[in-house]
Amino acid sequence: MTLTKLSPFFSPSVIAAMALCGQAHAQDAPPAAPPATPAPVSAVPAALPQVEIGASRGDERRASGTFRQTVGAAELVRYGDGSVLDVLRRQPGIVVNGVPGRKGGEVSMRGLGSGYVRILLNGEPAPPHFMLDNLAPDVVERIEILAVPTVEMGTQAIAGTINLILKRSNGKQQRQLRAGIYHDNDRTKPQLSSTWSGQDDTLSWLVTAATRQLSGDETYLTRTEGAGEEGAILREMKQFNEDRGWNWSLAPRISKKFGADESLALQSYLSGLRYDSAGFGRTDFLRGPETDYANENYTSAGSSLTIRNNLTWIKTLGASSKLEAKAGATYGRSEASSGIDFVDRGQRLRNRQDTANDQHNRSLTASAKLRTAYTDKHAFVSGVELQRDRDQYHRSDVIDARSRLDQAGTAFRVDSRRYALYAQDEWDVTARVAVYLGLRWERVELDSANNLGQRVDFARGMFSPVLQSVWRLPGTKSDQVRLGLARTWRVPASESLIAGRRMSVANTVTRPDTSGNPDVRPERALGLDLAYEHYLSQDGMVGVGLFTRRIDDVTLTRTVREGERWVARPFNSGRALARGITLETKFKLPQLLAGAPALDVRASLARTWSALDAVPGPDNRIGNQAPLSVNVGADYTFSSVPVSAGATLAYARNGTVRLSGYETSSESNKRGLEGYVLWKFTPKMHLRLSASNLLHEDDLKRASYAGEALWQTKTVTAPTYMVLRAIAELKF
């Protein structure tokens, strides 16, 4: 059944009938969960709602009028993960490629990644080049996952929104230390985090910090085969890479109350990464002529630094309104350099390449939001946002003292501006029907220039209406239906618009140069989400969801021949349709089987489909969409000893994706198994042991090009490794 067949059920007359029906039965069967209500007027921003002590995450999700689920503090630290990225692997409807415990990995929701997912930090766009695998879970208070956007959070979220909320003082003094080690591929590395907070009558403060050593030895086997003007080719390249480094994050927060109706808070976030690596590559030419740059010895090093400060002032106006004003500044810098010696079979130097990249980013933001609560069941929110960014890039690429960027540019400046206005109405129409209506206007402007005098100007705006509603079914105490309609968009990254080219040393159809395209337009999408939820006792639930996204001006990267070189550029390529179904449940096993062990069971499944009009089938899916993903997990707390344990089994089916009439790519299916044991020696001293990637299957990626006079396939195989962790947790 496709979602288009459901459209007759969402006509205005049917929605009105739902509301009347809910009103008629409200007295007969009131819902067990309290209806969604606007946040009370307080010193807490509406975007980051307070959670009442004793309320469960299930109750919060059940009462919400929007498609929102929350990952709380207990889930964040359960497996002792080194990064938030590994936490997201276990969440329903989210797929993360890459290998657990290692850097890198792309997040996808609704089967869509590659920039379709909006990442926020404390409700604001994450800093440039922000990496989820550099953020420690111990620094985060909770994660909000929104399958359908709200206009307050922003509508550049075709697939969904992930909002990372940093820790804040909970009114109690906190002194906590987590120290541990993790081990993979015969290397043992430390990780450390701590929390320190305090409070008096008007002042509260909290500091969280985390650091982790990065170290890994990686091997790759790249097999290239094909045929063309030079005849048949077959070659294998063996590579070894040794990575070393550290990452760290620091999140201090201080807030001051000025009476009962005014407060001021400063939230800072600092993170850094430093690494260096060394390795080599050796090529065996099994068929066909030898090529240049086939054997290499290299070293590389890099670092990044991000500093963000946000000042928030909140003022209560009268009995029903609250004004929130924010100002923020962000500074980011990343540097990377490498030196490669290209050698012959006898290790004699043939060529030397040196590259360097240096990027600076400065950003200023300002926003204001007014929330007015007409009743405890009806609130109106309006706001304005401003952002100004400046990026400066400097790069060099020299082989044997000759620059390769004379015609492409070595320095770029990118200035961007973002303006937004929004308004939203949150209303519990009846005891059984809650409606969220929002409208957002946003405009993005960008201009850039390079040292060669080339300029690019870009400006686009978008009106985005959003409707979300909840209907608590008459005659039931625990069943409800959700509906979401949203107009969303995706603005191209600045790197996709700049015309400067990145040069490939060994330029082939499977290793092309890459370049931007200043004519790329934003992608625009119309989304429909429908979900049914049945809530069980003891925080259990069963849910099924349907979704569809119609995307216009889809951006695809195509590899084309330009002169003597192959170049990959982004292009707008018509329309695409993505759709799918999600299943989710969590329950205690004795609820189904009397006398069964008291296991907390959780499971989710996502089946997705997509098709691009501009690409011939089969397999003309969007990007790296995983057609099927499954997660099954269970947790158990022993009654005789202070020990709890759990495990999660995950599966993602990937397969082949057709990128154009000539290009395909594929990735191996992923199977993951992980587990943990938590031993509470005393209320203030715990030991957590965990293991991830227990199956440690090889990771395989393949890229192919098949034209009229040329075909070539590149296959990269890399082993993966099990990750073991031991963490001591102390409270003072």
Side-chain angles (χ1 to χ4, degrees):
M1 180 180 65
T2 62
L3 295 183
T4 54
K5 295 181 181 179
L6 298 174
S7 57
F9 296 98
F10 304 134
S11 63
S13 58
V14 173
I15 295 175
M18 289 166 56
L20 292 174
C21 184
Q23 178 70 42
H25 292 272
Q27 299 296 327
D28 300 332
T37 58
V41 176
S42 68
V44 179
L48 310 176
Q50 282 184 306
V51 180
E52 295 294 334
I53 296 175
S56 69
R57 296 295 178 190
D59 291 338
E60 183 182 356
R61 175 175 176 176
R62 183 178 181 179
S64 175
T66 59
F67 284 76
R68 183 194 305 262
Q69 63 186 30
T70 303
V71 182
E75 294 176 78
L76 284 165
V77 301
R78 180 170 291 157
Y79 282 80
D81 298 305
S83 75
V84 166
L85 191 68
D86 288 334
V87 175
L88 291 173
R89 295 179 192 276
R90 292 184 287 273
Q91 306 311 313
I94 292 181
V95 176
V96 180
N97 64 10
V99 180
R102 291 298 181 93
K103 64 182 181 181
E106 180 185 72
V107 176
S108 65
M109 293 176 61
R110 297 296 196 247
L112 302 173
S114 303
Y116 290 105
V117 180
R118 183 175 175 85
I119 305 296
L120 303 177
L121 189 64
N122 279 348
E124 297 189 354
H129 305 291
F130 175 80
M131 294 182 291
L132 290 168
D133 56 349
N134 276 348
L135 180 64
D138 294 339
V139 178
V140 179
E141 180 174 294
R142 68 182 185 275
I143 302 175
E144 296 177 341
I145 302 172
L146 290 77
V148 180
T150 64
V151 297
E152 183 179 354
M153 292 284 193
T155 53
Q156 290 191 46
I158 291 177
T161 302
I162 296 175
N163 184 23
L164 307 159
I165 300 172
L166 300 177
K167 276 189 176 179
R168 58 187 56 206
S169 177
N170 60 6
K172 300 178 181 179
Q173 188 179 71
Q174 300 181 61
R175 302 286 192 276
Q176 184 171 282
L177 175 69
R178 286 191 175 98
I181 56 173
Y182 69 107
H183 177 92
D184 71 282
N185 193 23
D186 298 326
R187 293 193 178 273
T188 301
K189 297 144 284 189
Q191 65 180 68
L192 180 70
S193 67
S194 64
T195 301
W196 185 26
S197 72
Q199 180 173 323
D200 61 20
D201 292 339
T202 62
L203 184 70
S204 64
W205 55 270
L206 178 141
V207 178
T208 58
T211 185
R212 178 168 59 117
Q213 185 182 16
L214 308 173
S215 177
D217 298 339
E218 300 169 311
T219 58
Y220 303 91
L221 174 63
T222 302
R223 181 182 176 92
T224 304
E225 58 183 323
E229 297 178 355
E230 57 187 7
I233 63 168
L234 176 60
R235 48 183 177 258
E236 291 184 346
M237 183 178 187
K238 299 180 177 69
Q239 293 173 282
F240 173 80
N241 183 68
E242 183 181 49
D243 255 339
R244 302 289 181 267
W246 288 84
N247 69 7
W248 58 271
S249 52
L250 178 67
R253 176 185 171 88
I254 184 169
S255 60
K256 173 73 174 178
K257 292 182 179 179
F258 302 95
D261 58 357
E262 187 176 4
S263 68
L264 187 67
L266 174 64
Q267 173 73 69
S268 299
Y269 171 72
L270 301 88
S271 70
L273 167 69
R274 181 174 293 276
Y275 71 91
D276 61 81
S277 62
F280 62 83
R282 300 291 182 264
T283 302
D284 293 323
F285 294 90
L286 306 178
R287 189 183 306 130
E290 295 191 9
T291 62
D292 295 331
Y293 311 109
N295 300 299
E296 61 186 36
N297 302 319
Y298 70 86
T299 59
S300 64
S303 65
S304 66
L305 174 67
T306 299
I307 302 173
R308 169 174 282 191
N309 291 293
N310 286 102
L311 191 64
T312 303
W313 174 67
I314 299 175
K315 174 70 174 178
T316 300
L317 306 175
S320 60
S321 296
K322 179 178 63 178
L323 176 65
E324 177 184 311
K326 290 184 178 182
T330 301
Y331 170 78
R333 180 174 184 178
S334 63
E335 299 174 287
S337 62
S338 67
I340 306 176
D341 290 329
F342 296 100
V343 298
D344 60 18
R345 290 180 180 273
Q347 294 296 300
R348 292 183 295 270
L349 180 64
R350 299 183 60 179
N351 304 94
R352 167 76 181 187
Q353 180 187 28
D354 292 285
T355 65
N357 294 278
D358 188 0
Q359 179 176 352
H360 294 254
N361 171 269
R362 294 172 177 83
S363 176
L364 297 175
T365 60
S367 65
K369 178 176 65 177
L370 179 65
R371 182 184 184 92
T372 301
Y374 301 113
T375 68
D376 61 346
K377 297 182 179 181
H378 190 189
F380 185 82
V381 180
S382 59
V384 57
E385 299 174 3
L386 305 172
Q387 182 172 339
R388 176 72 180 267
D389 290 5
R390 165 160 283 196
D391 290 289
Q392 293 178 299
Y393 304 81
H394 297 274
R395 60 180 187 167
S396 65
D397 187 346
V398 175
I399 291 184
D400 293 339
R402 294 187 59 184
S403 174
R404 308 173 70 232
L405 302 176
D406 290 341
Q407 305 301 317
T410 59
F412 296 83
R413 172 198 51 79
V414 181
D415 288 324
S416 60
R417 296 162 296 279
R418 182 174 63 87
Y419 315 96
L421 299 170
Y422 64 86
Q424 63 187 36
D425 194 11
E426 308 163 18
W427 186 19
D428 286 3
V429 182
T430 72
R432 290 193 173 274
V433 177
V435 176
Y436 168 96
L437 291 171
L439 180 64
R440 182 182 180 93
W441 172 81
E442 188 169 348
R443 181 175 173 83
V444 175
E445 300 175 353
L446 179 147
D447 61 79
S448 67
N450 66 7
N451 62 306
L452 302 179
Q454 299 170 328
R455 297 187 60 88
V456 171
D457 294 307
F458 174 91
R460 295 290 189 278
M462 181 83 169
F463 277 100
S464 298
V466 178
L467 164 66
Q468 299 191 56
S469 67
V470 179
W471 180 33
R472 300 176 178 94
L473 299 180
T476 70
K477 296 182 179 181
S478 56
D479 292 15
Q480 57 190 35
V481 175
R482 295 186 184 275
L483 169 69
L485 290 168
R487 185 70 165 169
T488 54
W489 63 323
R490 175 193 179 196
V491 177
S494 59
E495 294 87 348
S496 299
L497 298 169
I498 297 172
R501 182 181 296 188
R502 292 179 176 85
M503 311 293 287
S504 171
V505 175
N507 185 267
T508 67
V509 69
T510 54
R511 299 178 66 178
D513 299 343
T514 58
S515 179
N517 180 358
D519 297 323
V520 172
R521 300 181 299 277
E523 298 180 42
R524 296 162 289 116
L526 182 62
L528 167 65
D529 288 75
L530 180 66
Y532 166 78
E533 298 169 351
H534 173 74
Y535 288 89
L536 308 171
S537 61
Q538 303 179 65
D539 208 21
M541 64 88 64
V542 178
V544 57
L546 303 173
F547 70 88
T548 185
R549 300 286 189 273
R550 192 194 71 188
I551 308 173
D552 294 309
D553 283 334
V554 172
T555 302
L556 300 179
T557 299
R558 297 177 183 172
T559 301
V560 295
R561 188 80 170 184
E562 296 184 3
E564 297 298 320
R565 301 185 68 86
W566 292 96
V567 182
R569 295 181 184 274
F571 294 92
N572 291 112
S573 304
R575 176 174 292 179
L577 181 67
R579 60 196 188 281
I581 181 171
T582 61
L583 303 174
E584 179 187 358
T585 186
K586 57 180 179 178
F587 56 88
K588 295 186 180 297
L589 191 58
Q591 291 178 295
L592 299 183
L593 300 173
L599 282 174
D600 291 326
V601 180
R602 59 191 184 280
S604 65
L605 179 148
R607 180 70 171 94
T608 59
W609 299 265
S610 64
L612 292 154
D613 290 350
V615 178
D619 303 320
N620 54 337
R621 294 183 278 124
I622 300 176
N624 295 319
Q625 182 190 56
L628 176 66
S629 63
V630 181
N631 269 280
V632 179
D635 302 284
Y636 181 76
T637 300
F638 294 87
S639 57
S640 57
V641 292
V643 175
S644 57
T648 298
L649 178 64
Y651 171 75
R653 193 181 79 200
N654 291 303
T656 300
V657 179
R658 181 169 292 279
L659 306 176
S660 70
Y662 304 102
E663 298 166 274
T664 60
S665 71
S666 64
E667 186 173 349
S668 57
N669 298 333
K670 299 293 189 296
R671 299 171 182 84
L673 176 62
E674 57 186 338
Y676 76 93
V677 176
L678 174 63
W679 191 346
K680 298 181 179 180
F681 295 101
T682 71
K684 294 187 176 183
M685 184 171 68
H686 303 166
L687 175 64
R688 192 180 304 269
L689 306 175
S690 65
S692 60
N693 198 31
L694 288 167
L695 303 179
H696 54 88
E697 298 179 320
D698 287 352
D699 182 45
L700 185 147
K701 294 180 174 62
R702 180 177 289 114
S704 299
Y705 181 95
E708 296 180 358
L710 169 69
W711 72 270
Q712 194 171 115
T713 298
K714 182 179 73 172
T715 305
V716 181
T717 304
T720 67
Y721 306 98
M722 182 169 55
V723 182
L724 305 177
R725 281 191 172 86
I727 301 173
E729 305 175 2
L730 306 174
K731 296 180 180 179
F732 304 97

